[in-house]
């Protein structure tokens, strides 16, 4: 059995095309499939909302690289999240979400799922006592992000899985920031892994997509039923782009980590930086847990700038090679001011972030060029 991560990323779900021998699955830009007589499906495909061969290739690959049995590809990360919640929960149920959840996830719970009757509580997941105290009889899931965005907090997946399972709830892990190369939540006890494949999994800032991966076959079947019933599927071109990105996920992540470590060293020694947030640092409160559950510490780095909000905004505006922009996880380096950009809507809420915070998505450019750009932006 071949099971290495990179081997699975390049080959799982992607046998050479039986008709032509093409080594890459074609983009099946098709909605419907010819049937051999009424009720006689040629290949299991009948309509591309239900299944499409390019999407199937991606879904099988996603399942393989997360160590799951079933992968499902969606039109976006939030489409995957919405489908998941409406599959495993019903109105009246309760979900524990991270105290510093991704803003779009928070909005989905606060503005959309709450109207459907789903209850939720934001809880700091680093505090296991607080999580236990928040569990109710109606708690159906604990939703975990680790590392978190943009403060790079760490949650203990194994410990949270135990709490969830003792309450007969599911443990859901949004693995977007780590990627399956750095962290394998299903092996740590999670029931469902969520991805915004828009980020590291796709990796080239050229496609928006989402994914769900499960270990349990029955749960996988239920999610597939809802994926088809709700219809927020990935299109074939998006699936193809994402699959293309996955092939290099391992080498990209190693370079993201190499470059992030060097950026962290620069920031640590810079007089204008008052704090560096990176789980690879031994003084980071989540460092030990991160070292236990992650292969390396990822490509996201946040830091606080001396001089407050204006100084932080200035650093973002002066950066040149680090492109000012939202999103993350692509080959190109990005810089942003969470307080005024990605997390502006969290102002005044429990998810508000420090005004002097700058977030970096460290890309895989030549690291010397990245360090030079940050040095001039901080000058
Ligand atoms: C971007 C992101 C999402 C949402 O994904 P979309 O593809 O933008 O819908 C969810 N979780 C995290 C951690 C993200 O970074």
């Amino acid at each position: 059995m071949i099971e290495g991560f990179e081997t699975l990323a390049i080959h799982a779900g992607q046998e050479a095309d039986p008709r032509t021998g093409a080594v890459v699955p074609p983009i099946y830009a098709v909605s419907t499939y010819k049937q051999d007589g009424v009720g006689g499906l040629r290949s299991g495909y009948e309509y591309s909302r239900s299944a499409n061969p390019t999407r199937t290739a991606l879904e099988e690959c996603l399942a393989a690289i997360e160590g799951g049995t079933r992968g499902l590809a969606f039109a976006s990360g939030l489409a995957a999240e919405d489908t998941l919640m409406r599959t495993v929960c019903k109105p009246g149920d309760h979900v524990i979400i991270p105290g510093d959840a991704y803003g779009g996830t928070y909005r989905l719970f606060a503005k959309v799922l709450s109207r459907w009757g789903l209850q939720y509580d934001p809880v700091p997941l680093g505090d296991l006592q607080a999580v236990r105290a928040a569990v109710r009889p109606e708690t159906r899931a604990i939703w975990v992000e680790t590392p978190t965005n943009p403060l790079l907090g760490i949650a203990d997946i194994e410990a949270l899985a135990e709490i969830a399972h003792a309450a007969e709830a599911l443990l859901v892990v949004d693995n977007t920031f780590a990627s399956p190369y750095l962290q394998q939540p299903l092996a740590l006890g999670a029931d469902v892994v969520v991805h915004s494949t828009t980020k590291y999994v796709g990796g080239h800032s050229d496609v928006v997509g989402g994914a769900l991966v499960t270990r349990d076959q029955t749960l996988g079947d239920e999610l597939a039923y809802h994926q088809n019933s709700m219809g927020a599927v990935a299109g074939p071109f998006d699936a193809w782009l994402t699959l293309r990105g996955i092939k290099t996920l391992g080498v990209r992540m190693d370079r993201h980590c190499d470059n992030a470590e060097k950026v962290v060293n620069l920031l640590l020694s810079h007089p204008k930086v008052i704090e560096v947030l990176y789980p690879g640092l031994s003084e980071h409160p989540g460092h030990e847990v991160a070292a236990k559950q992650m292969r390396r510490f990822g490509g996201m780095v946040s830091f606080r700038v001396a001089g407050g909000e204006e100084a932080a905004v200035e650093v973002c505006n002066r950066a040149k090679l680090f492109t000012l922009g939202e999103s993350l996880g692509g080959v190109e380096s990005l810089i942003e001011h969470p307080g005024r950009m990605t997390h502006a809507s969290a102002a005044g809420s429990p998810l508000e972030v420090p005004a002097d915070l700058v977030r970096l998505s460290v890309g895989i450019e030549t690291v010397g060029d990245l360090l030079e750009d940050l040095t001039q932006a901080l000058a």
Side-chain angles (χ1 to χ4, degrees):
M1 255 319 268
I2 298 165
E3 285 184 64
F5 183 89
E6 292 86 344
T7 307
L8 292 172
I10 292 166
H11 294 288
Q14 303 167 78
E15 284 79 44
D17 180 56
R19 198 165 67 83
T20 63
V23 298
V24 169
I27 303 167
Y28 282 91
V30 66
S31 60
T32 191
Y33 304 80
K34 180 175 191 278
Q35 306 197 5
D36 295 332
V38 174
L41 294 185
R42 198 170 272 214
S43 57
Y45 293 99
E46 58 182 345
Y47 185 62
S48 280
R49 171 166 33 72
S50 312
N52 170 285
T54 315
R55 196 175 92 221
T56 301
L58 170 61
E59 292 180 333
E60 288 180 4
C61 188
L62 286 165
I65 61 175
E66 279 289 0
T69 60
R70 187 74 179 251
L72 298 165
F74 292 84
S76 70
L78 286 174
E81 296 184 15
D82 185 34
T83 303
L84 170 61
M85 284 295 100
R86 289 185 210 256
T87 302
V88 301
C89 297
K90 60 183 186 315
D93 283 350
H94 173 251
V95 179
I96 293 172
I97 66 168
D100 53 352
Y102 170 70
T105 300
Y106 180 74
R107 183 177 55 199
L108 177 66
F109 279 93
K111 305 286 185 197
V112 180
L113 293 170
S114 63
R115 284 176 53 198
W116 183 63
L118 193 65
Q119 308 176 69
Y120 67 96
D121 273 314
V123 176
L125 300 183
D127 181 351
L128 297 178
Q129 268 316 106
V131 176
R132 273 188 209 99
V135 171
R136 306 188 206 159
E138 320 86 82
T139 302
R140 180 68 186 119
I142 300 178
W143 187 287
V144 178
E145 274 178 45
T146 183
T148 62
N149 175 24
L151 297 175
L152 299 165
I154 298 292
D156 186 333
I157 296 172
E158 250 176 334
L160 289 164
E162 252 177 54
I163 295 174
H165 297 154
E168 289 177 33
L170 299 172
L171 192 81
V172 175
V173 176
D174 180 338
N175 205 25
T176 299
F177 264 47
S179 89
Y181 180 69
L182 298 182
Q183 179 170 274
Q184 300 254 293
L186 297 177
L188 296 164
D191 300 288
V192 184
V193 168
V194 177
H195 275 287
S196 169
T197 56
T198 314
K199 317 293 169 55
Y200 286 108
V201 170
H204 295 74
S205 307
D206 53 9
V207 61
V208 169
L212 299 175
V213 183
T214 62
R215 234 171 346 140
D216 180 68
Q217 197 68 57
T218 310
L219 179 57
D221 290 346
E222 281 169 28
L223 289 167
Y225 180 86
H226 280 78
Q227 180 195 39
N228 182 42
S229 303
M230 295 169 72
V233 295
F237 185 52
D238 288 357
W240 185 87
L241 278 173
T242 305
L243 199 51
R244 183 184 217 258
I246 288 176
K247 290 177 192 287
T248 55
L249 180 58
V251 289
R252 281 189 287 109
M253 288 317 294
D254 270 327
R255 184 59 67 87
H256 281 296
C257 294
D258 290 345
N259 285 1
E261 287 166 13
K262 296 198 174 90
V263 162
V264 164
N265 285 337
L266 175 99
L267 295 172
L268 282 173
S269 63
H270 201 287
K272 286 217 181 136
V273 174
I274 54 179
E275 191 183 1
V276 182
L277 307 176
Y278 188 65
L281 294 171
S282 58
E283 62 266 31
H284 185 288
H287 176 68
E288 264 174 50
V289 173
K292 182 182 75 168
Q293 69 191 15
M294 297 177 78
R295 187 201 293 250
R296 296 181 70 182
F297 303 100
M300 299 301 296
V301 178
S302 293
F303 62 99
R304 296 175 59 204
V305 181
E309 179 164 8
E310 288 311 319
V313 167
E314 269 304 293
V315 171
C316 296
N317 284 336
R318 273 199 300 262
K320 294 191 179 89
L321 183 54
F322 276 85
T323 303
L324 181 65
E326 305 199 349
S327 196
L328 60 113
V331 291
E332 65 288 304
S333 294
L334 298 174
I335 189 167
E336 68 123 355
H337 184 262
R340 289 201 192 162
M341 295 170 62
T342 50
H343 290 66
S345 64
S349 84
L351 286 90
E352 187 171 329
V353 296
D356 56 7
L357 193 75
V358 172
R359 187 188 81 177
L360 303 177
S361 173
V362 180
I364 63 172
E365 299 96 334
T366 310
V367 71
D369 295 335
L370 295 177
L371 299 180
E372 198 180 307
D373 188 41
L374 281 178
T375 303
Q376 69 79 23
L378 281 160

